[in-house]
Amino acid sequence: MFIGEYQHSLDTKGRVIIPSKFRDELGDVFVMTKGLDNCLFVYPMEEWNILQNKLKTLPLTKKDARAFVRFFFSGATECQLDKQGRILVPSNLRKHSDITKEVVIIGVSNRLELWDRERWDEYNTDADLNYESIAEKMVELGI
């Protein structure tokens, strides 16, 4: 399980260090793709395969389903850590997430999310986003 928040910088070649705490759980090969809220999602292969299988069951006849699958898979790329524990963030994914220099890497249960630091700070201070109101809505979902 991925938990925690870490701050790193993108180097001049577009690489970022993945915290050592996450490396073993990611495995040798993993997948990075466009995430929601303009972040990037990073999945271990096992989790990616589970998600991929679920997405395969979406009806091809539904426009929203086709659009989401296109969005999700078109940005996907297999990644490997280099000897220093870094991954290359492809330019199309850096553009999607507005990541230019400062990167926040957060653990979100079965995946990592990579955020531009300014965007992450904005997300956390958004007037509509406060912990108490989110918690109240989780009750409606049975959590």
Side-chain angles (χ1 to χ4, degrees):
M1 176 173 64
F2 298 109
I3 58 173
E5 178 180 322
Y6 300 87
Q7 312 242 346
H8 289 281
S9 296
L10 204 63
D11 70 13
T12 56
K13 294 182 180 178
R15 299 173 299 194
V16 66
I17 293 173
I18 297 298
S20 59
K21 181 179 178 181
F22 296 146
R23 294 179 197 161
D24 286 340
E25 196 167 343
L26 277 176
D28 294 332
V29 178
F30 47 94
V31 175
M32 180 188 315
T33 192
K34 296 173 187 174
L36 304 174
D37 302 312
N38 292 97
C39 72
L40 302 177
F41 289 168
V42 179
Y43 292 95
M45 286 308 288
E46 182 179 340
E47 291 293 334
W48 176 256
N49 289 332
I50 291 168
L51 182 58
Q52 177 177 260
N53 287 331
K54 287 180 182 179
L55 292 175
K56 283 180 186 179
T57 66
L58 293 175
L60 188 61
T61 56
K62 296 284 187 178
K63 185 176 182 177
D64 288 344
R66 290 191 312 271
F68 183 78
V69 169
R70 284 183 190 125
F71 170 84
F72 206 66
F73 284 99
S74 68
T77 185
E78 285 189 358
C79 299
Q80 290 181 308
L81 295 167
D82 68 11
K83 292 177 184 175
Q84 287 79 39
R86 301 173 298 193
I87 58 169
L88 174 66
V89 182
S91 60
N92 65 316
L93 295 181
R94 290 194 309 261
K95 183 178 178 181
H96 166 77
S97 60
D98 291 331
I99 291 175
T100 56
K101 185 66 179 162
E102 300 300 316
V103 183
V104 178
I105 302 170
I106 62 171
V108 187
S109 183
N110 66 338
R111 70 175 183 272
L112 299 179
E113 291 183 358
L114 276 62
W115 289 77
D116 173 75
R117 183 175 172 199
E118 285 184 31
R119 188 176 292 272
W120 176 245
D121 291 344
E122 289 170 13
Y123 180 82
N124 281 299
T125 57
D126 186 333
D128 295 333
L129 179 69
N130 69 61
Y131 194 67
E132 289 79 17
S133 67
I134 293 171
E136 287 176 13
K137 291 175 184 173
M138 293 298 100
V139 171
E140 296 170 10
L141 298 174
I143 297 177

